[in-house]
């Protein structure tokens, strides 16, 4: 069986490569070979990439966008549209001086003119020029052929080729160009990206409107600000075209062991954009998507992963097949309000079928809570979800009606909370695709829907000045939600906890927990558990030097499958598993007795000074917040928790390390070893020493933030010396933390301090 599978894979790869070769031969006019070795444009011009989205186009040359990568992007490509042809070049610099002074460029122009010559022999081709700033180009060609400026955008009947180096936004003009090409004309497009303004309010760099035309021929022109196209090599190249640039060769390459696959930049800047464009712009029954379904088994299979029967996606073929299945499904779900995902009943869940009432013009008012509270926040402009307490069932239409005053406020509706791709895991127990759906609320009434279903949130820009929003909701289902100090125990027990939605929320002003409803159906007293977690949040606020009255609540979301590690934290939320840790999170008696290192740790991540901590501290200083919570909320002190049961064990571990071969690298790579140094400071000077440093950090304006990693080390060193009124130079040297001479000199005024248990290591 294994032998047969190998043979099938080889046949599949040979078939795809032969298709690619055939397509390349059909689109490989010898006259364009000179374009494969053009010189690079002047460094002031940015070079944009051409993306291939189906089997039709031919890649003529490539470029390497950065010295930091071996990756190549397509520089020039050609394709057909109807009876005509399109030649897409990643820079307009080739049609202006100084590039037109280069002999290889002029040869390239000649080859383009030959490529565009009509089949019916003419003495000279007739050229149409769209742009007013192509005088250099006109001077070059005027003695070689007939030309004219396209006046009022009228294209003469016998025009052999149009040259264009700007975007076309007028729909009528774009239609004229398309009709011209489909009837046998040719278009040469030099991308204008290199001439556009970058950055700030004046930025002109947006998606080119003319891409709507190019996409019909299997091409797209894009630029990425990371690389900005300033080439690292002298010439474009056509010697070796990497397989990942063309869909026909990309598909077999995805399941290969090509060492180029490990290039960090390939997936975000080549593979993912190519695949996204493929699926967005080709019909489900197209040739290229047919190849996807034929050669990736998972892409065209019914897959129902569950906790009882997890789905293996451990190799490249399975992973990409599963991703392609999700993209194919999205084409079915798009603009289909009644579509239901194959596996929605397993996750996120379903509504009971026994006559559950839907809302009808239910008025909902939500206080707006946006802005920064000093913690690591999502990058602007972030649309912060505001929960509504309602659930949208899978495959059902729900109507949101807004007052006209809100239409210009850039509001969005989001269905669902589980938004992470799970395809990097080797096994999954639920649909591993993004399960959320977002809708712009830019009109009075908006119909929202989801093939998966999910809790409804209204997302509001973090720079909004709104204080509250009101709207009506028709067709939604009530979800269990308990708000501390607002919902009564009686309301909860008699009705709210029995609301039919499969997901529930337990909320305070500081934190919102999103949990499966099955875990709260028998919960008698949400107040007690929420009051406990409020104490945890307030302890973190205290150490982080922010107000306990938060601008917006933190979010903790339960998931049956975790995308990264056991639990993880982002700038938006904390995600935890649906296992025994969830049971602990909701058990106040156990929490007050035992605590929960995992939950305290993840909440600590939300409060770290990530922009000021030096490299290697992310998994070290986070546990200052963990220990502070154990101390302040559970009264367990420094050495009375699951990680540090007593001071003797702590001291033994520390001495064992220092008696060995201590180094800064080893210190950073062991989170609990790194934490030991901080514990010694807290044990002698108390938490107030750390608080003083963090208050100083909080007050520091961003313009004064340290510029280098050494600066960050020196800032911590001088700050903790100041806070303890002690010279910690010897202490830091024992722990091998590299402090600069300047910083050491700055603290000479203080008295030296070394913990007595490590004096001998001085």
């Amino acid at each position: 069986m294994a032998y047969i599978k190998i043979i099938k894979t080889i046949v599949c790869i040979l078939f795809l490569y032969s298709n690619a070769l055939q397509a390349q031969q059909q689109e490989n006019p010898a006259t364009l070979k000179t374009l494969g070795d053009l010189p690079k444009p002047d460094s002031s011009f940015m070079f944009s990439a051409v993306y291939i989205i189906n089997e039709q186009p031919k890649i003529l040359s490539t470029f390497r966008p950065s010295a930091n990568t071996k990756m190549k992007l397509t520089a020039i490509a050609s394709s057909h549209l109807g009876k005509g042809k399109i030649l897409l070049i990643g820079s307009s610099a080739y049609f202006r001086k100084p590039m037109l002074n280069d002999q290889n460029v002029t040869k390239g122009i000649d080859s383009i003119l030959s490529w565009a010559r009509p089949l019916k022999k003419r003495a000279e081709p007739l050229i149409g020029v769209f742009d007013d700033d192509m005088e250099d180009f006109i001077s070059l060609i005027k003695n070689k052929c007939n030309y004219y400026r396209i006046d009022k955008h009228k294209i003469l009947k016998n025009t052999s080729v149009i040259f264009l180096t700007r975007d076309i936004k007028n729909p009528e003009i774009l239609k004229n160009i398309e009709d011209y090409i489909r009837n046998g004309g040719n278009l040469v497009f030099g991308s204008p990206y290199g001439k556009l303004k970058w950055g700030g309010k004046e930025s002109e760099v947006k998606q080119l409107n003319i891409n709507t035309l190019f996409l019909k021929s299997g091409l797209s022109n894009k630029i990425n600000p990371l690389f900005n196209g300033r080439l690292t090599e002298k010439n474009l190249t056509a010697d070796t075209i990497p397989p990942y640039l063309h869909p026909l060769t990309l598909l077999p390459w995805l399941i290969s062991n090509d060492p180029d696959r490990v290039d960090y930049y390939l997936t975000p800047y080549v593979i993912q954009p190519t695949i996204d464009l493929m699926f967005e712009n080709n019909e489900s029954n197209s040739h290229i998507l047919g190849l996807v379904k034929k050669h990736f088994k998972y892409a065209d299979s019914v897959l129902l992963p569950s906790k009882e029967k997890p789905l293996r996606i451990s190799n490249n073929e399975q992973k990409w097949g599963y991703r392609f299945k999700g993209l194919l499904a999205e084409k079915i779900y798009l603009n289909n309000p009644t579509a239901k995902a194959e596996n929605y009943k397993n996750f996120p869940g379903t509504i009971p079928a026994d006559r559950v009432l839907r809302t009808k013009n239910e008025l909902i008012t939500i206080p707006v809570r946006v802005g920064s509270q000093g913690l690591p926040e999502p990058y602007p402009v972030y649309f912060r979800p505001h929960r509504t307490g309602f659930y949208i069932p899978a495959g059902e239409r729900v109507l949101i009606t807004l007052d006209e005053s809100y239409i210009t406020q850039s509001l969005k509706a989001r269905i669902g909370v589980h938004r992470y791709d799970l395809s990097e895991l080797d096994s999954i127990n639920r649909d591993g695709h993004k399960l959320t759906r977002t809708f712009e609320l830019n009109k009075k009434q908006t119909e929202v829907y989801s093939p998966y279903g999910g809790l409804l949130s209204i997302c509001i820009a973090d720079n909004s000045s709104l204080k509250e929003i009101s709207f009506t909701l028709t067709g939604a289902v009530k979800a269990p939600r308990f708000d501390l100090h607002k919902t009564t125990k009686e309301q909860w027990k008699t009705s709210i906890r029995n609301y039919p939605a499969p997901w529930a929320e337990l909320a305070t002003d500081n934190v919102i927990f999103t949990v499966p409803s099955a875990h709260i159906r028998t919960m008698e007293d949400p107040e007690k558990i929420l009051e406990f977690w409020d104490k945890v949040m307030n302890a973190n606020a205290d150490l982080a030097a922010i107000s306990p009255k938060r601008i917006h609540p933190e979010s903790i979301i339960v998931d049956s499958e975790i995308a990264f590690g056991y639990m993880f934290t982002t700038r938006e939320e904390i995600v935890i598993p649906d296992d025994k840790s969830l049971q602990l999170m909701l058990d106040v008696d156990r929490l007050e007795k035992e605590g929960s290192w995992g939950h305290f740790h993840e909440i600590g991540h939300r409060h770290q000074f990530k922009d000021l901590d030096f490299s290697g501290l992310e998994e070290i200083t986070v546990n200052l917040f963990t220990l502070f919570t154990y101390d302040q909320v559970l009264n367990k002190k420094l050495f009375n928790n699951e990680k540090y049961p007593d001071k003797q064990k702590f001291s033994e571990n520390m001495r064992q390390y220092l008696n060995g071969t201590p180094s800064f690298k080893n210190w950073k790579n062991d989170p609990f070893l790194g934490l030991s140094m901080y514990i010694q400071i807290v044990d002698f000077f108390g938490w107030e020493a750390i608080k003083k440093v963090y208050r100083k950090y909080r007050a520091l304006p961003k313009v004064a933030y340290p510029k280098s990693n050494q600066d960050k080390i020196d800032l911590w060193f001088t700050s903790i010396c100041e806070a303890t009124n002690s010279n910690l130079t010897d202490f830091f040297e024992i722990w091998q933390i590299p402090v600069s001479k300047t910083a050491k000199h700055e603290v000479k005024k203080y008295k030296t301090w070394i913990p007595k248990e490590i004096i001998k290591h001085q």
Side-chain angles (χ1 to χ4, degrees):
M1 290 298 290
Y3 175 78
I4 294 173
K5 186 173 182 180
I6 292 171
I7 293 296
K8 285 183 177 179
T9 301
I10 293 173
V11 170
C12 161
I13 292 173
L14 290 174
F15 175 77
L16 290 172
Y17 270 110
S18 67
N19 271 341
L21 180 61
Q22 183 180 7
Q24 298 275 16
Q25 288 172 341
Q26 290 173 352
E27 286 292 334
N28 189 21
T31 52
L32 292 180
K33 284 187 177 180
T34 56
L35 300 183
D37 194 35
L38 289 178
K40 71 173 185 176
D42 181 88
S43 61
S44 63
F45 270 83
M46 298 183 185
F47 208 104
S48 62
V50 178
Y51 287 86
I52 313 300
I53 69 164
N54 63 27
E55 70 281 359
Q56 183 171 293
K58 156 68 180 171
I59 298 172
L60 299 172
S61 66
T62 64
F63 69 98
R64 189 159 68 97
S66 169
N68 297 325
T69 175
K70 294 180 180 179
M71 176 188 74
K72 292 183 178 181
L73 300 174
T74 300
I76 305 176
S78 64
S79 191
H80 282 289
L81 183 62
K83 298 177 182 178
K85 296 172 291 185
I86 294 175
L87 182 66
L88 208 165
I89 302 173
S91 175
S92 62
Y94 293 108
F95 302 103
R96 294 173 178 82
K97 291 181 179 179
M99 294 303 295
L100 287 175
N101 294 329
D102 188 286
Q103 186 178 6
N104 288 322
V105 174
T106 57
K107 285 182 180 178
I109 299 295
D110 288 341
S111 71
I112 292 173
L113 296 178
S114 298
W115 168 80
R117 194 179 298 276
L119 293 176
K120 293 181 181 179
K121 295 204 172 186
R122 293 172 50 90
E124 297 174 344
L126 178 62
I127 295 175
V129 179
F130 251 99
D131 306 295
D132 296 331
D133 60 344
M134 292 184 68
E135 295 299 333
D136 296 337
F137 175 71
I138 290 173
S139 296
L140 175 71
I141 66 168
K142 64 183 179 181
N143 295 323
K144 300 180 181 182
C145 57
N146 297 316
Y147 78 93
Y148 72 98
R149 293 185 183 276
I150 299 177
D151 184 35
K152 295 182 180 179
H153 315 296
K154 291 182 179 179
I155 303 171
L156 298 182
K157 184 177 180 181
N158 294 323
T159 301
S160 306
V161 59
I162 292 172
F163 283 84
L164 177 63
T165 61
R166 63 179 173 86
D167 195 13
I168 300 294
K169 298 179 180 179
N170 185 307
E172 183 180 351
I173 299 171
L174 197 59
K175 178 67 165 55
N176 290 341
I177 295 174
E178 180 177 345
D179 291 343
Y180 159 75
I181 299 171
R182 288 188 180 277
N183 288 323
N186 303 298
L187 170 65
V188 177
F189 182 79
S191 176
Y193 274 126
K195 301 183 295 181
L196 301 180
K197 294 179 183 178
W198 282 75
K201 294 182 180 179
E202 301 300 319
S203 177
E204 298 173 343
V205 180
K206 298 177 182 177
Q207 179 70 274
L208 294 178
N209 187 64
I210 199 170
N211 268 322
T212 58
L213 170 60
F214 296 149
L215 287 167
K216 296 175 183 179
S217 70
L219 298 169
S220 180
N221 179 217
K222 301 179 80 173
I223 196 166
N224 190 288
L226 175 67
F227 295 124
N228 70 40
R230 293 192 172 94
L231 311 188
T232 58
E233 297 165 337
K234 291 183 177 180
N235 290 64
L236 307 183
T237 179
D239 294 341
T240 304
I241 296 174
Y244 51 76
L245 292 179
H246 199 290
L248 286 177
T249 47
L250 168 65
L251 294 176
W253 181 84
L254 289 173
I255 58 176
S256 73
N257 293 315
D258 189 328
D260 283 347
R261 286 176 54 88
V262 300
D263 191 306
Y264 172 81
Y265 297 104
L266 262 180
T267 295
Y269 300 114
V270 179
I271 298 172
Q272 201 58 55
T274 299
I275 289 172
D276 288 344
L277 287 165
M278 275 174 54
F279 280 84
E280 288 168 6
N281 297 285
N282 291 290
E283 297 296 329
S284 296
N285 60 357
S286 65
H287 178 67
I288 192 67
L289 295 192
L291 289 176
V292 169
K293 289 183 277 190
K294 182 175 182 179
H295 298 292
F296 288 84
K297 178 183 174 183
Y298 276 6
D300 201 30
S301 302
V302 175
L303 303 173
L304 304 174
S306 65
K307 285 188 175 182
E308 295 72 29
K309 292 184 178 180
L311 175 70
R312 293 291 298 173
I313 47 172
S314 55
N315 60 46
N316 289 334
E317 183 180 358
Q318 291 171 339
K319 287 184 183 298
W320 281 107
Y322 189 74
R323 290 167 185 153
F324 290 152
K325 176 180 175 60
L327 291 169
L328 288 165
E330 285 300 314
K331 297 184 74 66
I332 297 172
Y333 303 152
L334 188 65
N335 299 321
N336 185 356
T338 59
K340 294 182 180 181
E342 292 173 350
N343 205 27
Y344 83 94
K345 290 183 179 180
N346 172 58
F347 193 95
T350 187
I351 303 294
D354 52 344
R355 292 185 293 178
V356 173
L357 293 176
R358 269 56 171 173
T359 59
K360 186 174 182 180
N361 293 323
E362 178 125 1
L363 179 63
I364 300 170
T365 299
I366 301 174
V368 174
R369 299 183 65 187
V370 296
S372 173
Q373 49 202 12
L375 303 181
E377 303 285 3
Y379 298 107
V381 171
Y382 175 62
F383 288 82
R384 186 167 296 282
H386 289 61
R387 313 301 173 79
T388 64
F390 288 87
Y391 193 89
I392 312 299
E396 295 189 19
R397 295 179 171 94
V398 171
L399 188 66
I400 297 174
T401 303
L402 291 172
D403 184 85
E404 291 184 359
S405 62
Y406 295 124
I407 293 174
T408 60
Q409 296 294 321
S410 301
L411 302 177
K412 304 175 188 290
R414 189 182 79 175
I415 302 173
V417 296
H418 301 97
R419 58 191 184 88
Y420 295 98
D421 176 20
L422 303 179
S423 62
E424 288 299 326
L425 301 177
D426 288 338
S427 175
I428 54 176
N429 61 34
R430 68 163 178 85
D431 275 355
H433 314 299
K434 180 180 177 180
L435 304 188
T436 56
R437 290 295 181 273
T438 303
F439 297 82
E440 301 284 343
L441 299 179
N442 53 12
K443 51 189 177 181
K444 189 170 182 178
Q445 291 192 320
T446 303
E447 189 177 72
V448 301
Y449 46 87
S450 166
Y452 300 100
L455 290 167
L456 175 67
S457 300
I458 304 299
C459 301
I460 304 169
D462 55 13
N463 59 1
S464 175
S465 61
L466 291 172
K467 301 303 179 186
E468 66 176 25
I469 59 169
S470 296
F471 58 94
T472 61
L473 194 61
T474 297
V477 170
K478 289 183 177 180
R481 179 183 171 98
F482 188 96
D483 283 280
L484 186 63
H485 306 315
K486 297 174 186 175
T487 311
T488 67
K489 292 181 187 178
E490 188 63 24
Q491 289 172 327
W492 171 256
K493 290 195 289 187
T494 57
S495 61
I496 293 177
R497 67 179 176 180
N498 296 314
Y499 286 167
W503 285 83
E505 291 172 335
L506 304 174
T508 80
D509 287 340
N510 296 316
V511 62
I512 299 176
F513 298 92
T514 303
V515 303
S517 295
H519 287 275
I520 56 86
R521 296 294 189 201
T522 59
M523 180 181 286
E524 296 290 325
D525 188 5
E527 279 186 6
K528 195 174 179 183
I529 187 67
L530 290 176
E531 285 170 350
F532 173 85
W533 285 111
D534 256 1
K535 292 177 184 177
V536 172
M537 300 305 292
N538 289 340
N540 277 263
D542 183 21
L543 189 59
I546 65 170
S547 170
K549 188 175 182 180
R550 294 173 185 256
I551 292 173
H552 57 76
E554 297 297 322
S555 177
I556 299 179
I557 296 171
V558 175
D559 200 334
S560 70
E561 196 72 87
I562 304 299
F564 314 104
Y566 180 64
M567 299 177 180
F568 69 90
T569 299
T570 69
R571 289 174 177 263
E572 294 90 353
E573 62 216 359
I574 297 168
V575 181
I576 69 166
D578 183 358
D579 63 5
K580 60 183 180 182
S581 67
L582 170 58
Q583 298 169 17
L584 174 59
M585 185 182 79
L586 299 178
D587 188 337
V588 68
D589 293 330
R590 284 186 61 197
L591 285 170
E592 289 178 338
K593 181 180 179 181
E594 306 168 17
S596 175
W597 187 278
H599 294 97
F600 296 170
H601 175 94
E602 296 303 331
I603 292 171
H605 273 310
R606 286 292 303 124
H607 294 81
Q608 281 177 281
F609 289 86
K610 293 185 178 181
D611 292 334
L612 293 172
D613 279 347
F614 56 86
S615 175
L617 288 186
E618 184 170 6
E619 292 301 327
I620 295 175
T621 57
V622 60
N623 284 327
L624 284 175
F625 292 90
T626 311
L627 289 177
F628 189 70
T629 301
Y630 271 98
D631 190 355
Q632 302 296 301
V633 179
L634 276 69
N635 197 31
K636 285 185 174 288
K637 309 304 177 187
L638 278 176
F639 307 106
N640 188 16
N641 58 71
E642 57 187 281
K643 300 299 179 184
Y644 298 107
D646 55 60
K647 187 172 182 178
Q648 182 179 350
K649 180 67 174 175
F650 165 78
S651 298
E652 287 174 2
N653 290 342
M654 184 177 52
R655 282 194 294 268
Q656 184 179 356
Y657 166 73
L658 292 174
N659 285 332
T661 54
S663 70
F664 184 45
K665 181 179 178 181
N666 291 338
W667 182 86
K668 290 191 299 181
N669 289 340
D670 186 334
F672 292 108
L673 177 63
L675 184 62
S676 299
M677 182 182 180
Y678 290 83
I679 289 176
Q680 285 183 300
I681 295 172
V682 175
D683 188 35
F684 188 86
F685 295 101
W687 283 108
E688 186 58 27
I690 305 297
K691 287 184 179 183
K692 282 181 180 179
V693 174
Y694 282 174
R695 286 196 292 268
K696 177 180 177 179
Y697 279 15
R698 183 67 61 206
L700 196 66
K702 291 218 169 189
V703 293
Y705 277 17
K707 300 296 188 292
S708 69
N709 196 55
Q710 185 60 57
D711 290 341
K712 292 179 179 181
I713 294 174
D714 289 349
L715 175 66
W716 162 242
F717 171 73
T718 56
S719 298
I720 193 62
C721 287
E722 179 185 11
T724 59
N725 198 34
S726 301
N727 184 342
L728 304 185
T729 298
D730 292 345
F731 178 58
F732 271 64
E733 286 179 352
I734 290 170
W735 282 104
Q736 304 281 310
I737 312 301
V739 178
S740 72
K741 290 181 180 180
T742 302
K744 290 177 182 178
H745 180 75
E746 188 177 331
V747 303
K748 278 188 174 181
K749 58 189 176 183
Y750 301 122
K751 183 179 178 180
T752 296
W753 174 80
I754 305 174
K756 60 182 180 181
E757 63 264 27
I758 62 171
I759 286 179
K760 72 173 186 176
H761 297 282
Q762 186 177 5

